[in-house]
Amino acid sequence: AQSVSQHNHHVILSEAASLELGCNYSYGGTVNLFWYVQYPGQHLQLLLKYFSGDPLVKGIKGFEAEFIKSKFSFNLRKPSVQWSDTAEYFCAVTPRPGNTGKLIFGQGTTLQVKP
Amino acid sequence: EPEVTQTPSHQVTQMGQEVILRCVPISNHLYFYWYRQILGQKVEFLVSFYNNEISEKSEIFDDQFSVERPDGSNFTLKIRSTKLEDSAMYFCASSEISGATEAFFGQGTRLTVV
């Protein structure tokens, strides 16, 4: 079965620390990959996406992610976090053949940034 | 900025009652989705809808669930006879093209079945 696994459930960092959130997926075919963020009290918003091309993608607010096909991974990074990055982060994939747009989500990572 | 809106934000219902969760997707979007998140668990796909029919549904989406686009703007999720385990946050989403563009999510409806 298709699945997405996020390694870190709860991460606590100080401001200016670097961030890396792991994401691995289980699917034998081609996928589109996404990172969504949910700030407290708000809806899920897209941070970045990968469909094809350069495996290093840049998103909003200084986030980036690298797709490593051989490792089925799509890790999210930010060199220097801010207090305002406190949120829940979700990795998601959409299998591409026969694509209905269904997103398969990881369990989410809660990031807490201390000022 | 266009957004997906969901109503109500919170609904409390008695077990066995029918509930209808409402969503207004972004106006030029063609694909519509419902997801749910039980407290402490993953966001789970329920159903996708395109061209006035279900294009895919998950195992969760059994006969108790139905979706409808009754007019040009609303997209509804009906649960016929709610169970305690239906308590969750329900998210509506829409996209222009399935999977090739981002899905925009609403803020969710928290359903509490008592």
Side-chain angles (χ1 to χ4, degrees), chain A residues 58-74:
Chain A
K58 296 193 184 299
I60 60 171
K61 304 188 181 187
F63 286 91
E64 64 178 33
E66 184 175 13
F67 171 50
I68 303 179
K69 189 174 180 180
S70 60
K71 294 185 179 180
F72 299 89
S73 71
F74 190 55

Side-chain angles (χ1 to χ4, degrees), chain A residues 19-71:
Chain A
L19 170 72
E20 180 158 3
L21 301 182
C23 172
N24 285 89
Y25 65 92
S26 168
Y27 181 68
T30 309
V31 294
N32 294 335
L33 297 143
F34 305 83
W35 274 96
Y36 279 85
V37 61
Q38 188 174 28
Y39 298 104
Q42 297 189 28
H43 57 276
L44 285 159
Q45 302 171 45
L46 184 71
L47 267 182
L48 46 77
K49 62 189 177 190
Y50 173 79
F51 294 157
S52 63
D54 188 345
L56 184 63
V57 292
K58 296 193 184 299
I60 60 171
K61 304 188 181 187
F63 286 91
E64 64 178 33
E66 184 175 13
F67 171 50
I68 303 179
K69 189 174 180 180
S70 60
K71 294 185 179 180

Side-chain angles (χ1 to χ4, degrees), chain A residues 4 32 34 36 38 41-44 46 49 51 90 94 99-103 105-107, chain B residues 31 33 35 37 41-43 45 48 55-56 91 98-107:
Chain A
V4 177
N32 294 335
F34 305 83
Y36 279 85
Q38 188 174 28
Q42 297 189 28
H43 57 276
L44 285 159
L46 184 71
K49 62 189 177 190
F51 294 157
F90 296 92
T94 298
N99 189 2
T100 64
K102 171 179 81 174
L103 284 163
F105 283 89
Q107 62 267 51
Chain B
Y31 293 82
Y33 312 90
Y35 292 83
Q37 186 178 28
Q41 297 186 26
K42 293 186 180 190
V43 176
F45 168 79
S48 58
S55 47
E56 187 173 358
F91 294 104
S98 71
T101 57
E102 71 175 282
F104 288 78
F105 283 80
Q107 288 196 295

Side-chain angles (χ1 to χ4, degrees), chain B residues 5-26:
Chain B
T5 56
Q6 289 185 243
T7 54
S9 56
H10 191 185
Q11 173 131 16
V12 181
T13 189
Q14 288 202 324
M15 195 167 52
Q17 295 296 303
E18 174 183 286
V19 294
I20 297 176
L21 310 183
R22 301 180 193 280
C23 170
V24 179
I26 294 172

